Amino acid sequence: MRLTPRSFLWRTILMILIPLVIAQVIVANAFFGNHWSRVHSTLARTLASEITTMMDFIDQGKSDALQDFAKNIGINVSINQKLNRPKHNDNDAHETGPLAKELQNKLNRPASIYMDKGKRLLFVDVPTKNNEIATFGSSLQRVYSTSTEVFIIWLIGSILIVSILIAPFIILHTRSIRRIARAANRFGRGLDAPGFEPTGSKEIREAAASMITMKERLDRYNRTRTDMLNAVSHDLKAPLTRMRLAIETNSADNKTLIQDIDRMTEMVNGYLAFARGETPEIEQATELPPMLTRIARDAAGNKKIITDFPDSPAQFYARPMALARAFTNIIENAARYAKKQIKITETDSADSVEILIEDDGIGIPDDRKKDALRPFVRLDDARRADTGGTGLGLSIAQTAIENHGGQLFLEDSELGGLKVRIVLPI
């Protein structure tokens, strides 16, 4: 038998209401229970003392003093020869129990207490010395406070009010979670979720935004794979066709064949480099200035290298080999197209590290910057066509940066060429 509900809605409601009920019960028992006990004891003691005083007046025959005293305290007194009362009295009732005990201690004769709960009236019958019965009538509130029932009503009412108030918020909360679940199910099947936007609390919006980002990365991953396969098949088909034709016509030239083989090898190496960018690696504490300085020295030794690093660079956990591969591709790209100099700048903040890699080349037009990040795309009209390469460098770098939770942007540099801006979270 399952005691806890399955849905998040009912679990949340129970998680709020159960502690609330327990807290109110503890407060009612620990504080109000003692408070009501003292109040009822005081009321019973006062009424018992008043009845005792009036019985003394009756025994002494002071009827005038009895009437004046009863009128002043608001009690109706009557002397009867006989009363038609039920045998069962209310001496042991919860409301009148304290009064019965006080009367037993103060009077030397038995007293019978009767209640009319409908009219909230109280009657106390006490035998006199003349074998008559003195009946004292008063309001039940003289010995029992009705605030007990009122408090219990408010106790239950407050729980209902809290339930009514929190229910809409919890429903909206769970609705946002259900929307994320439905969208994740569609994303997992390769479909889009039209109209899906982050809603709900901050944490739920962050989860939804992260899922949207994940979907975009998966889409880009699939597009990258498709573009890469199309480029590889296209670029390999041409040299293979030339090689086959040259061999079949006995017009093969060794130099031409070697050039085709080198081109094919370059394509295969580019594909392997792209695949290696996704190899699992253990994260380590990393500082970027030493890595960037070494890469720049190796990749652009014939160009002027300008660096601007903070005195105490930020240290964060990253996969150093993957980052080194990404920055190597970016810096080699800058060195290939730079005329005279390359500038590398690091700026640290509380939650991120920003790296700028700039060159003084001719740059990339704004309408082609997006294409420059696609694999196997070479912007020969923007850069020089004789520089070689497969067009995978920036794509590999972007993948590695995004795998670290960062972003890569292509912008115009003040040096006149391209500025690659990388933002990495700490």
Side-chain angles (χ1 to χ4, degrees):
M1 181 179 179
R2 189 179 183 87
L3 298 179
T4 58
R6 292 181 179 272
S7 68
F8 176 80
L9 173 63
W10 287 108
R11 286 190 177 190
T12 306
I13 291 176
L14 291 180
M15 183 174 62
I16 296 175
L17 293 184
I18 290 178
L20 177 62
V21 172
I22 293 175
Q24 290 190 343
V25 170
I26 292 175
V27 170
N29 289 332
F31 177 75
F32 288 102
N34 295 332
H35 171 73
W36 285 325
S37 178
R38 291 192 299 270
V39 169
H40 294 161
S41 297
T42 301
L43 293 175
R45 192 180 305 114
T46 301
L47 183 57
S49 298
E50 294 170 348
I51 291 175
T52 301
T53 301
M54 289 185 288
M55 285 303 302
D56 291 339
F57 288 153
I58 292 174
D59 293 339
Q60 296 172 9
K62 299 180 179 180
S63 58
D64 294 338
L66 171 65
Q67 295 299 328
D68 291 340
F69 184 77
K71 183 178 180 181
N72 291 332
I73 61 177
I75 295 179
N76 294 323
V77 182
S78 61
I79 308 297
N80 305 284
Q81 296 294 327
K82 183 179 180 181
L83 291 174
N84 185 19
R85 299 284 193 190
K87 294 182 180 181
H88 176 73
N89 56 40
D90 297 314
N91 287 24
D92 297 328
H94 171 70
E95 296 87 343
T96 57
L99 176 61
K101 293 180 181 178
E102 292 294 336
L103 290 174
Q104 185 178 0
N105 294 332
K106 295 180 180 298
L107 294 174
N108 295 324
R109 66 200 79 183
S112 298
I113 304 174
Y114 301 91
M115 289 187 298
D116 187 343
K117 292 185 178 181
K119 298 180 180 180
R120 309 293 293 178
L121 296 177
L122 173 72
F123 302 97
V124 180
D125 296 335
V126 182
T128 66
K129 291 182 178 181
N130 299 327
N131 293 325
E132 295 176 330
I133 298 176
T135 299
F136 303 92
S138 180
S139 171
L140 185 59
Q141 294 181 356
R142 292 292 299 271
V143 293
Y144 183 76
S145 175
T146 57
S147 60
T148 304
E149 288 86 354
V150 174
F151 176 77
I152 293 175
I153 292 173
W154 274 107
L155 187 71
I156 299 173
S158 63
I159 295 174
L160 294 176
I161 292 173
V162 170
S163 302
I164 294 172
L165 291 177
I166 66 174
F169 296 99
I170 298 177
I171 291 173
L172 293 175
H173 200 66
T174 54
R175 185 178 298 171
S176 300
I177 296 177
R178 289 196 186 99
R179 291 181 70 250
I180 292 179
R182 288 194 296 268
N185 183 42
R186 292 184 61 86
F187 291 163
R189 290 182 288 146
L191 304 175
D192 292 329
F196 175 71
E197 295 181 357
T199 58
S201 64
K202 177 183 177 182
E203 293 77 10
I204 293 180
R205 290 198 305 271
E206 290 177 351
S210 298
M211 191 174 67
I212 292 174
T213 302
M214 179 189 67
K215 174 65 165 54
E216 292 174 350
R217 289 179 178 176
L218 289 175
D219 290 343
R220 185 164 54 248
Y221 176 86
N222 292 330
R223 288 195 303 268
T224 298
R225 287 295 180 270
T226 302
D227 292 344
M228 182 176 58
L229 291 176
N230 291 334
V232 170
S233 63
H234 177 270
D235 289 349
L236 289 182
K237 186 181 298 184
L240 285 173
T241 301
R242 286 196 304 269
M243 293 170 65
R244 180 182 181 89
L245 181 61
I247 293 174
E248 289 179 348
T249 59
N250 294 323
S251 60
D253 178 64
N254 289 340
K255 183 178 179 181
T256 303
L257 290 176
I258 292 174
Q259 289 178 349
D260 288 336
I261 292 173
D262 290 342
R263 177 60 180 168
M264 293 169 61
T265 302
E266 187 178 10
M267 293 294 297
V268 173
N269 289 337
Y271 170 76
L272 293 177
F274 190 84
R276 283 196 300 269
E278 299 169 356
T279 303
E281 183 184 352
I282 298 176
E283 291 188 347
Q284 302 176 17
T286 305
E287 286 185 2
L288 294 180
M291 176 192 299
L292 296 173
T293 302
R294 173 180 54 80
I295 295 173
R297 185 178 60 248
D298 295 341
N302 60 339
K303 304 290 174 65
K304 181 181 179 180
I305 302 173
I306 303 173
T307 58
D308 184 6
F309 299 140
D311 296 333
S312 299
Q315 188 176 79
F316 60 100
Y317 281 90
R319 297 182 289 278
M321 292 181 61
L323 275 186
R325 189 177 301 115
F327 285 119
T328 298
N329 289 340
I330 297 172
I331 294 175
E332 286 181 349
N333 188 75
R336 183 179 300 118
Y337 299 109
K339 296 177 181 177
K340 295 181 179 180
Q341 62 180 353
I342 297 173
K343 183 178 180 181
I344 304 175
T345 307
E346 175 178 342
T347 304
D348 298 339
S349 63
D351 55 359
S352 65
V353 174
E354 184 180 76
I355 303 296
L356 303 179
I357 300 174
E358 305 175 67
D359 64 66
D360 59 351
I362 60 174
I364 298 176
D366 292 338
D367 59 344
R368 301 300 304 277
K369 287 185 172 65
K370 186 175 181 181
D371 293 335
L373 295 174
R374 296 176 57 190
F376 290 96
V377 174
R378 299 185 70 253
L379 308 180
D380 294 335
D381 56 340
R383 313 287 244 182
R384 293 193 306 272
D386 59 350
T387 55
T390 60
L392 273 173
L394 291 179
S395 180
I396 293 173
Q398 183 185 39
T399 301
I401 296 299
E402 289 181 347
N403 287 342
H404 283 79
Q407 293 178 294
L408 184 147
F409 305 94
L410 301 183
E411 301 172 352
D412 294 331
S413 171
E414 295 179 356
L415 300 179
L418 179 68
K419 175 168 66 177
V420 181
R421 182 165 62 93
I422 301 103
V423 180
L424 293 168
I426 296 179

